Amino acid sequence: MTSGDHPGETATVSSPPSRGVVALAARRVTKRFPGVVANDEVDFELRAGEVHTLLGENGAGKSTLAALLCGLYQPDDGHIERGGQPVRLRSPREGLARGIGMVHQHFRLVERFTVAENVVLGDPAQPALLRRADIEARVAEIGERFGLPVDPRARVSSLTVGQRQRVEIVKVLYRGAEVLLLDEPTAVLTPQEAEALFTTVRAMTAEGKAVVFISHKLGEVMAVSDRVTVMRGGRVTGEVATAATSARELAELMVGRPIEAEVRRGSAAGGEGDGTEAGPALEAAGVRLVQGGQTVLDGIDLAVFPGEVVGVAGVAGNGQRELAAVLAGITAPTSGRVQVAGTDVTGGGARAARGAGLAFVPEDRLGTGLVPGLSLTDNMLLTRRREFLVNRRAARREMATAIESFEIKTPGTEAAARVLSGGNAQKVLLARELAGLGTGAGPRAIIVASPTRGLDIGAAEMVRGLLHDAREQGGAVLIISEDLDEVRSLADRMVVLYRGRVALEGPTDELTLEEIGLAMAGIQPEGAVAPG
Ligand SMILES: Nc1ncnc2c1ncn2[C@@H]1O[C@H](COP(=O)(O)OP(=O)(O)O)[C@@H](O)[C@H]1O
Ligand SMILES: [Mg+2]
């Protein structure tokens, strides 16, 4: 049986004539959700043999377009074409029957099933009596052909995130996909895994398959794609050949205005003689944390000095979140010690940490950071009752200044925090937590989880600027994030966590992407001695 031989479809052979044929297209498609036009008369054309990136900021409409292209959603207006013919895809199953397969941002595998079982699960074309061994052989063969090594017999629950993604890709290839839609596939990968994925993508296009690659990371977009369609606010703002564009031009299409020169990461205040001899502003020593019988933090030593930005990186689930909670006093460590500006705050709760001079911007901005039902002014007062106790007017004035200087979009200082968008909530939190950092009047150290996650380019630039200003003023900044690019662009020094341990540490400029990636994957460089 050969895969994907559908009438009227010419994209299945690898010989050059099939290349350049329009394999899949959206013609003026519109998709509305309550209160938002997620896709507004979008035109998109994917040719056989190409990697075509859909680029855009959060909320631009990329996932919605992909969902329309694979049959998960149906357009309110306009239509989809496959191989030049209008088609109605009433479900992802119908999409797959026409050779269109999507790999979602959030995987949809069954944990307790094996790889091979997941691959054939719910496949209507699967003969009832196909032997397990045959399925496993076919899975292995696909894996080999496209550089997607997976053990067909492994249980999905035992696989890493990167391996699970491979299973998802194998699954759609197994079902004969000639067009693959990959929604932000690199978001969960180490640099090496991302590189391996790009090799896979090239192996697929070399066979004439077409790939829609969704991303908002300009570097990888420039590296992997043949063409780029840029979206903003549900509309297409440009379609360009990668060879004829630049990262800067793409960024401008993304945000719809000229971009300032990238905020440069200056050097840490180190040599000024104002910092290190004063001792760390934030320090963890031998921190262990056991939760539900699992060791999630396994002897962490970490110090952040005044005037530096330290970044903690790692693949999700390797202890970053727990480390932030322990340092901020939210979770008491099982053993070990946490100090803020020389004061031992271990086990004293968030109040002790804050009292000693630690500010904290959690990942969950509106859940644990701000109180949604309170006004912005009252949220300002929340963590600083002492100063503002009798001075609500001062708090309101401070909030008004913040609204103006951070360009926070809100009806005013008395608006409830719940009406803020994610980016604006982040700015309010930073305004509150960063105020006076390092000046003697405010906190000595700050922990910020995923500082620019979900922000548009403009807001992200501003947040980066704020953190660097805080550092220049002698503040100690610790950034904890699962986004490696974010950590590298912000931090003077980096710490990589793997399974609750520090797997690598050093100045950001001196660590290669390869070293970092290996550490994130828990692989020791040759000749190195395993820690502990
Ligand atoms: N299922 C849905 N229900 C309601 N609104 C949605 C849904 N999916 C997406 N949206 C909205 O549509 C817009 C585009 O979202 P999406 O396509 O997910 O963007 P992207 O993938 O580029 O981040 C956003 O404003 C989003 O909130
Ligand atoms: Mg999306």
Side-chain angles (χ1 to χ4, degrees), residues 351-365:
R351 186 171 296 195
R354 197 170 276 282
L358 181 72
F360 179 43
V361 177
E363 194 159 6
D364 175 16
R365 326 282 189 213

Side-chain angles (χ1 to χ4, degrees), residues 57-64 105 183-184 214:
E57 301 192 318
N58 275 334
K62 309 178 296 290
S63 295
T64 300
Q105 237 165 325
D183 196 354
E184 308 225 14
I214 299 181

Side-chain angles (χ1 to χ4, degrees), residues 261-349:
E262 192 194 340
V263 181
R264 281 298 316 156
R265 174 157 42 84
S267 58
E272 310 277 324
D274 58 356
T276 52
E277 73 273 20
L282 176 64
E283 187 177 19
V287 164
R288 288 188 75 243
L289 179 66
V290 181
Q291 277 180 338
Q294 295 246 3
T295 304
V296 288
L297 296 175
D298 195 4
I300 302 272
D301 293 314
L302 180 75
V304 189
F305 289 89
E308 74 168 346
V309 181
V310 174
V312 176
V315 174
N318 280 280
Q320 299 100 299
R321 201 158 290 176
E322 291 81 1
L323 179 61
V326 166
L327 292 174
I330 293 161
T331 309
T334 308
S335 60
R337 201 162 39 82
V338 177
Q339 289 198 323
V340 175
T343 305
D344 192 327
V345 296
T346 317

Side-chain angles (χ1 to χ4, degrees), residues 16-192:
S18 69
R19 277 171 195 285
V21 167
V22 176
L24 183 65
R27 305 289 183 204
R28 298 185 83 76
V29 292
T30 293
K31 178 71 186 171
R32 300 181 194 91
F33 292 114
V36 55
V37 185
N39 274 196
D40 190 1
E41 302 197 333
V42 167
D43 278 310
F44 177 76
E45 236 180 42
L46 176 72
R47 296 182 195 148
E50 81 170 348
V51 183
H52 193 143
T53 290
L54 263 180
L55 174 72
E57 301 192 318
N58 275 334
K62 309 178 296 290
S63 295
T64 300
L65 178 56
L68 291 167
L69 289 168
C70 78
L72 184 60
Y73 295 159
Q74 286 71 48
D76 297 325
D77 275 306
H79 68 272
I80 304 298
E81 284 177 15
R82 172 77 171 116
Q85 301 299 315
V87 286
R88 275 190 74 159
L89 307 171
R90 273 159 298 207
S91 67
R93 187 172 288 194
E94 288 194 12
L96 262 173
R98 291 178 182 273
I100 304 160
M102 174 139 176
V103 174
H104 293 274
Q105 237 165 325
H106 303 288
F107 306 150
R108 300 169 174 200
L109 300 170
V110 181
E111 295 260 337
R112 64 200 156 80
F113 284 9
T114 68
V115 168
E117 285 163 353
N118 267 281
V119 166
V120 295
L121 189 69
D123 183 356
Q126 195 59 42
L129 281 175
L130 201 59
R131 282 176 47 233
R132 174 174 290 268
D134 294 338
I135 300 168
E136 289 174 356
R138 178 103 203 280
V139 167
E141 183 255 320
I142 290 171
E144 201 145 303
R145 182 156 132 218
F146 295 103
L148 295 158
V150 282
D151 173 3
R153 294 181 173 185
R155 247 171 236 296
V156 164
S157 56
S158 73
L159 302 183
T160 65
V161 174
Q163 289 167 331
R164 287 173 196 221
Q165 183 179 75
R166 283 183 223 146
V167 177
E168 292 277 14
I169 298 174
V170 167
K171 184 167 177 162
V172 294
L173 288 170
Y174 186 98
R175 294 174 190 199
E178 289 299 321
V179 170
L180 287 97
L181 306 158
L182 309 178
D183 196 354
E184 308 225 14
T186 61
V188 296
L189 302 180
T190 67
Q192 281 86 350

